[in-house]
């Protein structure tokens, strides 16, 4: 009875999370096997057969390798023996023609999951997506740095359509495949980058594991690390798992809760895993379809707000977690309960304490007054916080002479998807200031996400972008090089004999822009 109550409660919690669109899927080999793709043992056997077919003289070596228990090392040896036939072998085993979409896969992609992560190499989820929606699926390879950066920072953005992300590579790109001992070492041992990125997703998003046995040591170790840093509290993730008849569900649940932060929803184990299909049917009722993304409408609001939490960085505030550079799990702040996103802090520029959440109504412009304040967004690297402070001070000084501005430093909204909130602020901005420095140009999110969108807004006539050159940097080759920069002639602030004069020049330039109303 206790087991049934706990399982019902877990299912109810998962349904609520799905309704809130907070969950992304993690799909394992169990889903691919249903499409006719090989299991791990089948794959090794096919590799052995392919090698012997290519080089019959290697049959003796293969018979010896088959006795080795270390399957990752065996796979490494098999790949070496396949040589230049490795790519064609993968396409034959995992290509579109090697599998078929079933009702199970259609149910899976109909779930209201934001995105899908998969450790599989085959495209069965893409094929199911196309079969259900009648449109091609958008997919990302984990080693595609450009697309991956965008995915990490926009994964919670409602306007960012579903992506199918291949954590361990896709069949058509052999070099991306994580299959052998050497591959796993490169991904999870020799470099922290990929592991930290996956851990960042686990810390900021809720994940539902489907067809995943939770036996992948390297991936589960990341779940374990995130749980250790999260500490006590409710499990953040979910898993649909078969329960063997002889296994104690209470002990199993407590281990998954305490060690990995995973809340299991069990179904009775059978050879055909019919219980999993029944669960998908019940979960599909959480929301029958994922609504299309609503286009964002540019709003011109007369209030002035300038949140710029560079990767959730506090701006001179006495509360809140410390800011992080990048998305390293070693630095990522994770709340105790339902850490859907790292807390976000920033500053607002406004004449009203509540302007960051409630824009002030438009005020009538008097002939002898400067136009109503414009909504400003400041994009900067956390390493340039001192320059941000000088900019704030300069605004305060000019508030008495026409720029009626005051600064408020406080959390924008903690506990929500911070990158989504940040992009919303950017979309509403009239003026975007880029604090340009070597750190700014080297920061992936700032340079590739914020700046890219800001320039699009400028091109569409929705905002004006002004680079402020605070330190010498190779910005002449940047996409914003053609824009008029501040201070005068784009001379970096740090190269002025009197930095105060540089900041006065910047403030005067911005005041002139505000007076013109863009």
């Amino acid at each position: 009875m206790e087991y049934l109550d706990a399982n019902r409660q877990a299912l109810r919690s998962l349904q609520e999370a799905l309704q809130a669109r907070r969950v992304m899927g993690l799909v394992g080999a169990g889903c691919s096997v249903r499409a006719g793709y090989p299991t791990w043992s089948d794959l090794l056997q096919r590799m052995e057969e392919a090698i012997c077919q290519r080089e019959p003289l290697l049959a003796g070596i293969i018979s010896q390798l088959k006795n080795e228990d270390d399957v990752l090392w065996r796979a490494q040896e098999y790949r070496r023996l396949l040589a230049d036939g490795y790519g064609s072998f993968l396409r034959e085993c995992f290509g579109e023609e090697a599998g078929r979409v079933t009702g199970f896969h259609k149910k899976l992609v109909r779930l209201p999951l934001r995105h899908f992560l998969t450790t599989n190499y085959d495209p069965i989820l893409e094929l199911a997506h196309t079969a259900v929606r009648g449109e091609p699926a958008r997919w990302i390879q984990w080693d595609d740095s450009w697309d991956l950066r965008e995915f990490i920072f926009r994964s919670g953005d409602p306007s960012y359509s579903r992506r199918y992300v291949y954590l361990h590579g896709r069949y058509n790109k052999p070099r991306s495949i994580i299959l052998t001992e050497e591959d796993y070492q490169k991904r999870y041992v020799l470099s922290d980058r990929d592991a930290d990125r996956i851990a960042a997703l686990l810390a900021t998003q809720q994940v539902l594991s489907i067809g995943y046995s939770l036996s992948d040591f390297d991936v589960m170790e990341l779940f374990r690390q995130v749980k250790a840093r999260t500490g006590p509290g409710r499990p953040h993730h979910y898993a649909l798992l078969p329960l063997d008849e002889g296994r104690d569900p209470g002990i199993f649940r407590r281990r998954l809760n305490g060690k990995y932060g995973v809340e299991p929803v069990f179904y009775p184990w059978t050879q055909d895993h019919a219980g999993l299909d029944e669960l998908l049917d019940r979960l599909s009722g959480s929301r029958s379809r994922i609504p299309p993304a609503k286009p964002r409408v540019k709003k011109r609001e007369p209030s002035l707000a300038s949140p710029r939490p560079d990767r959730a960085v506090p701006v001179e505030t006495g509360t809140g977690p410390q800011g992080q550079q990048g998305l390293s799990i070693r630095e990522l702040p994770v709340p105790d309960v339902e850490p859907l996103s790292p807390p976000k802090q920033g500053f607002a520029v406004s004449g009203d304490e509540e302007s960051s959440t409630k824009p002030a109504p438009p005020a009538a412009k008097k002939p002898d007054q400067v136009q109503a304040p414009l909504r400003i967004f400041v994009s900067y690297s956390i390493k340039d916080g001192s320059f941000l402070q000088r900019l704030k001070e300069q605004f305060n000084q000019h508030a008495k002479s026409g720029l009626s501005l005051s600064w408020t430093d406080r959390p924008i909204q903690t506990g929500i998807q911070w990158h989504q909130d940040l992009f919303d602020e950017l979309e509403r901005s009239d003026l975007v200031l880029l604090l340009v420095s070597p750190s700014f140009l080297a920061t992936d999110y700032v340079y590739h996400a914020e700046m890219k969108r800001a320039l699009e807004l400028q091109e569409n006539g929705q905002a004006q972008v002004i680079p402020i050159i605070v330190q010498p940097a190779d910005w002449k080759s940047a996409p914003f090089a053609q824009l008029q920069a501040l201070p005068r002639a784009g001379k970096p602030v740090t190269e002025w004999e009197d930095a105060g004069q540089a900041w006065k020049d910047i403030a005067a330039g911005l005041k002139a822009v505000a007076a013109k109303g863009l």
Side-chain angles (χ1 to χ4, degrees), residues 297-419:
V297 179
K298 172 66 177 171
K299 296 181 180 180
R300 306 286 290 189
E301 297 171 346
S303 63
L304 179 63
S306 179
R308 176 54 200 121
D310 176 47
R311 304 193 179 195
V313 180
V315 181
E316 295 194 356
T317 179
T319 61
Q322 293 300 309
Q324 69 274 13
Q325 177 67 29
L327 281 175
S328 168
I329 188 60
R330 293 171 181 79
E331 303 165 315
L332 188 66
V334 183
D336 287 339
V337 180
E338 296 191 11
L340 301 182
S341 60
K344 168 188 174 181
Q345 298 206 1
F347 58 83
V349 188
S350 176
D352 188 296
E353 282 297 308
E354 296 301 320
S355 64
S356 65
T357 55
K358 298 180 180 179
K365 181 183 176 182
K366 297 180 180 180
D368 58 342
Q369 281 187 329
V370 175
Q371 186 169 338
L374 301 172
R375 198 170 182 87
I376 298 176
F377 184 98
V378 183
S379 181
Y380 71 103
S381 166
I382 61 174
K383 294 183 179 179
D384 297 328
S386 60
F387 297 115
L388 174 67
Q389 180 60 27
R390 288 299 303 271
L391 180 64
K392 290 171 56 179
E393 292 171 355
Q394 207 63 48
F395 266 106
N396 287 334
Q397 291 176 17
H398 281 260
K400 299 178 181 179
S401 61
L403 282 181
S404 182
L405 309 174
S406 63
W407 294 81
T408 301
D409 290 17
R410 66 174 181 270
I412 299 299
Q413 283 183 323
T414 59
I416 68 171
Q417 293 160 323
W418 62 272
H419 43 277

Side-chain angles (χ1 to χ4, degrees), residues 93 128-129 143 155 191 228 238 253 296 304 306 376 379 400 404 427 441 447-448 464 469 480 486:
C93 288
H129 177 102
D143 59 358
S155 56
S191 172
Y238 300 91
R253 183 181 301 277
R296 290 177 174 177
L304 179 63
S306 179
I376 298 176
S379 181
K400 299 178 181 179
S404 182
E427 294 287 334
L441 296 177
Y447 190 81
H448 294 297
Q464 181 171 341
I469 315 303
F480 56 82
L486 293 172

Side-chain angles (χ1 to χ4, degrees), residues 456-476:
E456 290 174 353
L457 294 175
Q458 160 124 350
E459 184 177 350
N460 296 334
Q462 295 174 275
Q464 181 171 341
V465 179
I466 299 179
I468 297 177
I469 315 303
V470 296
Q471 286 183 319
D474 184 20
W475 64 277
K476 293 294 186 180

